[in-house]
């Protein structure tokens, strides 16, 4: 699947570039595409260097948590649920605790912690994988749920809106929560359908229902706060929880008589190996995405959507927010740039800007996640991971459009 997808990016870019040259007379498109190849190759190294430092830090802390028994305790707690969602993962396997930590970090918007923990979880799942280069069912479910971008506190979106001069930076909080919940639910259901998981099992329903009640209660509490109080709480909670996790790992490790410094160094050594394995996959995927963007293929897709919407006689205001939705699966930085450009062009509190912010907070950089998570363990055959992840992305975008029309007219 990844082979065909990667080749398809280049062929689509080539077709779009030929159209711009032969029909539009744009001779600079090929220079832009070649330049993008080198730019993306350089960006891949920059991303790898950033990941190297982050991986080194969090893999070191995770080794302390493992030796202190925290990961094993989480695995035992959630064993009944994951035995049903990931039946090939044995009860008490360390992957379960790592998956739980990863989801918790994602929900709270702690991206710097979520990625290293997720990579460790993927490597643990790889130890159970009967085929070294083919994604297992458990790895696919884990990746799709990661790509669904379930985030309770989208602090970065609030920050972008505040920097753009929004009167209420947190205005999109509930729309983002509803859209990202739809994305996660669609991802889970699509994987469950393909893998024939029994979601109606009493244990699964109890966990999912309990989680929904907790989230609903927390949302009800947050909606009772003023906009300024909510923004302050969001900023404080993310940083406080991240540092609290670090202190908790260290304190529990010391209490269990774990040599915390030696354990940290031992775990941190893995950061180099993981980052080294990631680089070829990052170069391959980011270069393909860069060529696709430089060719103008995404612009053609947007023009086609706008034309179809007008022909159907529908309201086309949402189309101005689609650049963020179209590039988000490929590049987080490009989607962020599209969001900022939409806020500057249309106004920070305009309908397109509000919708773009909701899309940015409710979808994920799917192909980047694919490259990083599967690249870290050498998986080349993604099976149904790409399709299910894109279904989650599509559900998030459609839900964002529906919710924003409901909230903002």
């Amino acid at each position: 699947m990844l082979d065909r997808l990667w080749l398809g990016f280049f062929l689509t870019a080539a077709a779009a570039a030929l159209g711009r040259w032969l029909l539009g007379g744009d001779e600079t498109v090929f220079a832009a595409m070649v330049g993008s190849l080198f730019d993306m190759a350089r960006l891949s190294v920059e991303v790898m260097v950033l990941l190297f430092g982050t991986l080194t830090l969090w893999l070191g802390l995770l080794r302390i948590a493992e030796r202190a028994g925290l990961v094993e305790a989480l695995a035992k707690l959630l064993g009944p649920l994951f035995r049903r969602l990931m039946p090939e993962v044995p009860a008490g396997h360390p992957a379960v605790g790592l998956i739980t930590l990863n989801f918790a970090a994602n929900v709270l918007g702690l991206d710097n912690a979520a990625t290293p923990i997720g990579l460790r979880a993927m490597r643990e799942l790889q130890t159970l994988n009967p085929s070294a280069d083919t994604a297992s069912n458990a790895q696919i479910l884990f990746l799709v749920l990661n790509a669904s971008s379930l985030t309770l506190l989208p602090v970065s979106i609030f920050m972008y809106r505040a920097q753009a001069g929004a009167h209420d930076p947190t205005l999109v909080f509930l729309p983002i929560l509803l859209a990202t919940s739809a994305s996660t639910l669609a991802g889970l259901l699509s994987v469950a359908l393909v893998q024939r998981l029994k979601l109606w099992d009493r244990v699964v329903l109890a966990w999912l229902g309990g989680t929904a009640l907790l989230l609903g209660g927390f949302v009800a509490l947050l909606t009772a706060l003023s906009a300024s109080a909510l923004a302050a709480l969001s900023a404080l909670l993310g940083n406080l929880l991240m540092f609290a996790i670090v202190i908790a790992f260290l304190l529990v490790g010391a209490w269990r008589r774990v040599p915390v410094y030696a354990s940290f160094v031992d775990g941190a050594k893995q950061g180099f190996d993981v980052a080294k394995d990631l680089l070829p996959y990052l170069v391959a995927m980011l270069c393909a995405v860069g060529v696709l963007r430089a060719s103008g293929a995404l612009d053609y897709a947007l023009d086609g959507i706008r034309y179809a919407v007008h022909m159907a006689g529908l309201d086309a205001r949402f189309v101005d927010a689609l650049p963020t939705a179209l590039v988000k699966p490929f590049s987080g930085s490009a989607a962020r740039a599209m969001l900022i450009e939409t806020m500057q062009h249309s106004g920070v509190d305009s309908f397109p800007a509000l919708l773009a912010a909701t899309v940015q907070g409710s979808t994920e950089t799917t192909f980047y996640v694919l490259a990083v998570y599967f690249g870290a363990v050498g998986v080349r055959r993604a099976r149904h991971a790409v399709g299910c992840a894109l279904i989650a992305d599509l559900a998030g975008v459609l839900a964002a459009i529906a919710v924003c029309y409901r909230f903002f007219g």
Side-chain angles (χ1 to χ4, degrees), residues 72-356:
E72 182 182 358
L74 279 173
K76 289 181 179 178
L77 175 65
L78 291 169
L81 173 64
F82 281 98
R83 276 200 300 273
R84 290 156 175 82
L85 295 180
M86 300 178 177
E88 65 267 40
V89 178
H93 194 275
V96 176
L98 293 168
I99 289 170
T100 305
L101 288 173
N102 171 263
F103 286 163
N106 273 322
V107 165
L108 296 171
L110 308 179
D111 296 336
N112 289 334
T115 300
I117 297 171
L119 290 175
R120 269 299 313 277
M122 188 63 79
R123 289 168 75 91
E124 290 293 341
L125 290 174
Q126 183 70 356
T127 64
L128 304 171
N129 190 355
S131 178
D133 66 344
T134 302
S136 67
N137 283 347
Q139 287 174 319
I140 291 173
L141 177 60
F142 175 55
L143 184 138
V144 170
L145 291 180
N146 253 277
S148 69
S149 184
L150 179 60
T151 303
L152 188 62
L153 293 171
V155 179
S156 60
I157 307 299
F158 300 159
M159 180 186 67
Y160 299 147
R161 286 180 42 78
Q163 290 175 341
H167 176 69
D168 181 2
T170 62
L171 189 62
V172 293
F173 168 69
L174 280 178
I176 287 176
L177 184 62
L178 293 173
T180 192
S181 298
S183 173
T184 300
L185 181 60
L188 176 60
L189 291 177
S190 64
V191 175
L193 180 63
V194 175
Q195 299 182 3
R196 299 182 180 179
L197 300 176
K198 297 179 180 179
L199 295 183
W200 58 87
D201 183 277
R202 287 182 298 177
V203 173
V204 176
L205 290 176
W207 273 99
L208 295 181
T211 302
L213 287 175
L214 286 174
L215 284 175
F218 188 54
V219 170
L221 174 64
L222 293 179
T223 53
L225 300 175
S226 65
S228 58
L230 181 57
L233 176 64
S234 297
L236 173 65
L237 194 57
N239 292 304
L240 180 62
L241 285 173
M242 181 175 286
F243 191 69
I245 290 172
V246 174
I247 295 299
F249 284 0
L250 295 176
L251 289 179
V252 174
W255 179 56
R256 294 288 183 89
R257 301 186 183 279
V258 172
V260 289
Y261 178 76
S263 297
F264 177 88
V265 172
D266 182 45
K269 290 177 181 178
Q270 299 178 19
F272 176 78
D273 293 331
V274 175
K276 179 186 65 177
D277 293 339
L278 279 177
L279 183 58
Y281 295 89
L282 282 175
V283 171
M285 190 60 73
L286 290 181
C287 284
V289 169
V291 169
L292 190 69
R293 287 172 48 201
S295 70
L298 293 177
D299 293 330
Y300 287 146
L302 189 63
D303 291 340
I305 293 172
R306 182 178 287 107
Y307 177 78
V309 169
H310 281 303
M311 290 296 293
L314 301 176
D315 182 78
R317 286 181 298 159
F318 74 91
V319 177
D320 292 329
L322 287 186
T324 301
L326 288 175
V327 303
K328 185 63 186 286
F330 307 111
S331 169
S333 60
R336 182 165 56 250
M338 293 293 187
L339 168 62
I340 294 172
E341 193 278 334
T342 301
M343 290 191 295
Q344 292 176 341
H345 180 266
S346 302
V348 65
D349 287 321
S350 66
F351 182 84
L354 292 169
L355 176 54

Side-chain angles (χ1 to χ4, degrees), residues 365-377:
T365 50
T366 298
F367 295 108
Y368 172 80
V369 172
L370 278 165
V372 169
Y373 278 69
F374 282 162
V377 294

